[in-house]
Amino acid sequence: MKRNEGYTLQDALEIILGDEIEFEGCEDNSDEDLDDPNYTPNNEDMESDESSDCGDSNNSEPNDLDEVPQPNPGQVNTTVQGTEQGKKQFSWRKKPFEAPDCTFQGPNVTPPESLLTPLEYFRKFITPEMLDLLKEQTNLYSVQKSEYHHNVNTSVKELEILIGLYLCMGLCQLSGNCAYWENDTRCPMVADNMSHDRFQYLLASLHFTDNSDLSNRQAGDKCWKIHPWLDMVPKQCLDISPEEHNCIDEQMVSFRGRHSPIRQYVKGKPHPWGLKVWCRCSSSGLLCDFAVYQGGTLLGMGGDVVVKLCESLPSNQNYKVLADNLFSSAPLVLKLFQRQIYFVGTLRVNRLAGCQLEDEKSLAKRGRGSVDAMVEREEESMVIVKWYDNKSVTLISSYCAVDPQDNAKRWSKSDKAFVEVNRPHIVKKYNTFMGGVDLPDACIARSKYHMRSRRWYLYLFWQTIMLGLVKAWLIYRHDCKLLGLLKTMKQRSFQAEVATSLILWQAKRGRPTLNTSPPAPLPKRVRVRVPDDVRTDQVAHWPVKCDKRGRCKFCKINATTSLCEKCDVRLCFTEERNCYRSYHLA
């Protein structure tokens, strides 16, 4: 920018309040597969994404990139850019905020008739129809890319086995794919069900759309290679009725490769290099909707993200939405309020829309727990609250304000003891229901296997697999709570059972033909039990005799030498007792 050029105040505000700074590594044609780990981006590469926290730290100081000139103290009205075309003026005054009647009118949660199996929960989100699309495009891509037009000739069942192996790898983390087949580090559950060459061939052939069809390459769609799959995943999430409180935040899918048009660098994140995904989750962590950030072309920043993700929320049913200061603004609160969707979120100081609150020094003199609030003058549909704890934090809402206050325990350095600090009601609401996106993030980080690839969109594919698994587990726990069941499966056990079921389960077919040749024995697997889906599939459960007697798995009383070859358990099979049949039909 040249210094001798003239800019009006309005031009300067539009430049400063424009889109957030994003770093995109999309035009790098280097042959290197990964970035230099010692590379440190400069200021132009970093995204301004500082979020405030209403917890103990309460850090609401904005980034230097967001500083804008504040209006004069006597100025009440100001003009800000709204989420719609045109501009909206806001004016504020000190008065008590009258909370609207926001009683939730959405559907009530009813307990299920019975629990489903882990595989059935998982198939609610990763459906056979989705795998059928993946099968067709994978077979087509293998023919297109092969010099001799070889077809990988995969099936839905084989793709289920591939996903099951991936989930097993997440439970038993090794240094690379080859380690699961090597003699010293061999994992039987992985190596016995698919050869290493076939595994790598399938990974190299995974595809989601036809490259030769130019109609798939929509203008501005940087995710067109995985767009059909990304369209199908949210549809399965929307089948679940949303809860009253929803929060919107971002997820980072770790990716350090150079060849991606949507790669981002976000300073301060656990995985600063990656692919950014906007998510709307319920307060209990259930994923309701998501969208991949592609820059300012399709889905931008701030309020646009919230409006887009809230399109699937029913209007006029008093849903509540929470977000941090990356998204919050007065025009956004007003736009959601027009649909009878209420909002709570932290607010940056350059988005106060002319609201003149006490400065931080004045609040600090009054002591911890001091608060100041102002209500929008015209419609009285929103309130901005500034609360001082360790630092000041500013929040905006359309349905809750200061009262009723409660007390929060905070550590006092001067007194060297915990003290009671007055806490506004809006802060309590934010701390209680914000953080639903962090729960699936933590669950995914526990047992996700990081499969390296040059194709960036495969990272999004594996992320959706883990999102489906975590959501299936959270719904399973929710159903157990509704049914009054205290003992539930942990996430690791749930993931292990889904993986085993995907690998071993087979669809029931007609009566098997007699074969004079003995069937090939299945490789021995070390496990406590098989999942119920495999136990009752009625496929290839051949009875065999073993030398060593063992206790019957079904009656748990008698010893027998009869063994189910597939389930690897001993079962009574005599004239008096037929536990073999009862076990496989129960």
Side-chain angles (χ1 to χ4, degrees):
M1 183 182 297
K2 297 181 180 180
R3 295 184 180 271
N4 58 357
E5 292 183 359
Y7 289 89
T8 65
L9 177 59
Q10 184 64 30
D11 293 337
L13 288 175
E14 291 179 356
I15 292 174
I16 296 175
L17 295 177
D19 290 339
E20 302 289 332
I21 297 176
E22 296 287 341
F23 174 79
E24 299 184 3
C26 57
E27 301 296 336
D28 197 336
N29 295 323
S30 174
D31 293 334
E32 297 183 9
D33 198 19
L34 299 174
D35 290 325
D36 183 3
N38 298 321
Y39 171 67
T40 302
N42 53 33
N43 292 334
E44 296 180 355
D45 294 337
M46 298 182 186
E47 176 188 328
S48 175
D49 189 19
E50 297 292 332
S51 301
S52 71
D53 181 16
C54 287
D56 294 336
S57 63
N58 295 293
N59 181 15
S60 62
E61 294 299 323
N63 190 280
D64 293 339
L65 297 174
D66 297 320
E67 292 289 351
V68 296
Q70 295 296 316
N72 295 328
Q75 182 180 357
V76 179
N77 295 333
T78 187
T79 303
V80 297
Q81 184 69 35
T83 55
E84 298 178 337
Q85 293 182 355
K87 298 181 179 180
K88 168 70 177 176
Q89 291 184 344
F90 296 98
S91 58
W92 308 85
R93 62 178 177 176
K94 285 185 178 293
K95 63 165 293 186
F97 178 72
E98 297 181 3
D101 182 13
C102 54
T103 305
F104 183 59
Q105 300 176 0
N108 296 324
V109 179
T110 57
E113 296 180 359
S114 61
L115 286 179
L116 303 178
T117 63
L119 180 61
E120 290 172 337
Y121 280 112
F122 181 74
R123 282 181 172 167
K124 283 187 174 183
F125 309 105
I126 308 298
T127 63
E129 292 76 17
M130 297 169 62
L131 296 179
D132 190 63
L133 167 70
L134 180 59
K135 177 202 70 174
E136 293 178 0
Q137 297 301 328
T138 298
N139 289 334
L140 177 62
Y141 178 68
S142 65
V143 174
Q144 291 175 346
K145 76 166 188 173
S146 175
E147 181 179 358
Y148 301 102
H149 303 289
H150 289 166
N151 191 343
V152 68
N153 197 24
T154 188
S155 61
V156 171
K157 179 57 189 176
E158 189 174 33
L159 292 175
E160 286 185 342
I161 295 176
L162 179 69
I163 294 174
L165 297 182
Y166 173 78
L167 297 179
C168 284
M169 291 177 173
L171 297 173
C172 182
Q173 300 270 353
L174 295 179
S175 58
N177 294 351
C178 296
Y180 291 90
W181 282 267
E182 294 174 353
N183 291 333
D184 294 335
T185 56
R186 190 174 186 272
C187 180
M189 193 61 180
V190 175
D192 289 345
N193 289 284
M194 186 178 291
S195 67
H196 175 261
D197 292 343
R198 182 63 177 177
F199 182 80
Q200 293 296 130
Y201 191 21
L202 281 178
L203 287 182
S205 303
L206 285 179
H207 217 67
F208 309 92
T209 189
D210 186 2
N211 287 344
S212 61
D213 189 356
L214 299 181
S215 63
N216 294 328
R217 309 188 184 190
Q218 301 177 5
D221 187 3
K222 300 177 183 178
C223 295
W224 64 271
K225 283 197 172 185
I226 195 174
H227 190 82
W229 179 269
L230 294 180
D231 277 348
M232 298 179 76
V233 175
K235 291 180 181 178
Q236 311 304 322
C237 296
L238 293 176
D239 289 341
I240 305 298
S241 299
E243 298 179 4
E244 178 181 1
H245 294 88
N246 295 260
C247 59
I248 293 177
D249 208 342
E250 62 182 3
Q251 280 186 346
M252 289 296 292
V253 182
S254 178
F255 174 72
R256 292 188 60 89
R258 292 179 178 269
H259 305 283
S260 171
I262 61 172
R263 185 187 64 162
Q264 306 289 321
Y265 179 87
V266 183
K267 183 180 179 181
K269 294 290 184 180
H271 301 286
W273 289 102
L275 314 175
K276 183 183 291 187
V277 181
W278 308 120
C279 295
R280 175 171 65 84
C281 292
S282 64
S283 57
S284 60
L286 297 179
L287 179 67
C288 300
D289 200 359
F290 74 93
V292 179
Y293 175 63
Q294 304 184 33
T297 55
L298 290 182
L299 192 60
M301 300 285 290
D304 294 337
V305 176
V306 180
V307 172
K308 178 68 176 177
L309 294 180
C310 288
E311 289 179 353
S312 54
L313 271 180
S315 301
N316 304 320
Q317 294 186 7
N318 297 336
Y319 281 95
K320 284 83 176 176
V321 175
L322 300 93
D324 60 21
N325 59 22
L326 177 65
F327 308 94
S328 303
S329 66
L332 169 66
V333 178
L334 182 60
K335 186 175 182 65
L336 294 178
F337 183 78
Q338 293 170 355
R339 291 184 53 201
Q340 204 172 329
I341 297 177
Y342 298 96
F343 183 87
V344 174
T346 53
L347 193 64
R348 295 182 177 180
V349 296
N350 64 331
R351 298 180 187 174
L352 292 177
C355 180
Q356 299 300 308
L357 298 169
E358 288 188 51
D359 58 13
E360 186 168 351
K361 291 183 179 180
S362 300
L363 293 174
K365 289 180 180 179
R366 292 166 52 188
R368 296 178 71 173
S370 56
V371 63
D372 188 23
M374 295 190 74
V375 180
E376 203 272 329
R377 180 186 297 270
E378 295 181 2
E379 301 180 6
E380 299 182 357
S381 59
M382 68 183 80
V383 59
I384 295 180
V385 178
K386 192 171 186 179
W387 178 57
Y388 184 80
D389 187 11
N390 292 323
K391 292 183 178 180
S392 63
V393 59
T394 307
L395 301 98
I396 187 171
S397 176
S398 56
Y399 78 99
C400 60
V402 178
D403 296 323
Q405 297 191 50
D406 65 342
N407 294 327
K409 286 187 177 181
R410 293 291 187 268
W411 177 259
S412 175
K413 291 184 178 179
S414 59
D415 299 337
K416 295 184 179 179
F418 285 98
V419 297
E420 298 287 340
V421 177
N422 291 334
R423 180 175 61 175
H425 187 59
I426 186 175
V427 177
K428 179 182 179 181
K429 284 285 186 181
Y430 184 86
N431 288 339
T432 302
F433 298 107
M434 185 63 184
V437 180
D438 297 332
L439 177 58
D441 269 348
C443 294
I444 289 174
R446 291 192 195 112
S447 54
K448 179 182 180 181
Y449 180 68
H450 297 280
M451 190 89 69
R452 291 170 57 116
S453 175
R454 290 177 180 267
R455 294 184 292 162
W456 59 270
Y457 50 89
L458 288 185
Y459 286 76
L460 291 177
F461 169 69
W462 295 122
Q463 180 75 5
T464 58
I465 296 297
M466 292 304 300
L467 283 173
L469 175 79
V470 170
K471 184 169 184 179
W473 177 62
L474 291 175
I475 292 181
Y476 158 76
R477 287 205 315 170
H478 185 257
D479 289 349
C480 289
K481 183 178 180 180
L482 293 177
L483 293 174
L485 302 178
L486 300 178
K487 188 176 181 180
T488 60
M489 270 191 287
K490 296 182 179 180
Q491 180 191 346
R492 183 178 182 87
S493 301
F494 188 90
Q495 181 171 337
E497 186 149 340
V498 171
T500 306
S501 299
L502 288 172
I503 294 172
L504 299 180
W505 184 89
Q506 297 183 33
K508 183 180 178 181
R509 298 185 295 269
R511 179 181 298 175
T513 58
L514 295 176
N515 191 350
T516 55
S517 60
L522 293 177
K524 185 177 181 180
R525 302 174 182 87
V526 179
R527 58 179 181 271
V528 177
R529 66 178 182 88
V530 295
D532 292 338
D533 297 284
V534 178
R535 176 172 60 86
T536 58
D537 63 2
Q538 301 182 22
V539 177
H541 292 277
W542 310 119
V544 295
K545 289 290 184 179
C546 56
D547 297 333
K548 189 176 180 180
R549 296 171 62 87
R551 192 176 299 277
C552 175
K553 182 69 174 178
F554 185 77
C555 67
K556 302 184 184 301
I557 298 175
N558 302 285
T560 180
T561 57
S562 298
L563 178 76
C564 176
E565 190 176 39
K566 184 175 182 179
C567 299
D568 196 18
V569 295
R570 289 172 173 80
L571 298 164
C572 297
F573 188 41
T574 63
E575 295 179 355
E576 296 82 8
R577 296 179 304 276
N578 192 354
C579 295
Y580 192 92
R581 181 178 183 275
S582 302
Y583 177 78
H584 293 104
L585 294 179

